Amino acid sequence: LNAMKKKRLFEEQRKQLIGAQFNIDSMVYQRDQARVTLNAVKALEAGTRSLKAQQEMMDPRTVEDVCDEAAVLADEMRAIGDSLAMSYSMSDVNAEAAEA
């Protein structure tokens, strides 16, 4: 009878230890997640500061002007390429001369 009481007592203590270990493991996991979150926040803050500093070096109007100029140049280069790609057959030239 004493042996069964001791066995029951040990089983109860074992359950308590397992529960305590689970709580400790949960706390360790939460601590690790807090560290990861803190590092992510620090990285985000640093990235935001860097982006802001770089953005302050750019004038939105200048960027818009450069983009507009690049678009105009691209259109001009497309027109030049189209002109160079045109067919120059003599029958086209003769037909244009006859029409004129």
Side-chain angles (χ1 to χ4, degrees), residues 67-90:
C67 289
D68 289 345
E69 187 176 336
V72 168
L73 289 173
D75 287 342
E76 289 175 358
M77 289 306 297
R78 196 173 303 110
I80 290 169
D82 290 346
S83 294
L84 291 174
M86 287 179 57
S87 170
Y88 292 107
S89 71
M90 290 308 286

Side-chain angles (χ1 to χ4, degrees), residues 36-76:
V36 168
T37 301
L38 180 61
N39 287 337
V41 169
K42 286 180 180 179
L44 185 58
E45 288 173 342
T48 300
R49 279 192 304 272
S50 175
L51 179 60
K52 186 175 183 177
Q54 291 174 357
Q55 190 176 14
E56 287 174 355
M57 290 189 259
M58 293 181 262
D59 175 36
R61 185 72 192 148
T62 303
V63 172
E64 187 177 332
D65 291 345
V66 169
C67 289
D68 289 345
E69 187 176 336
V72 168
L73 289 173
D75 287 342
E76 289 175 358

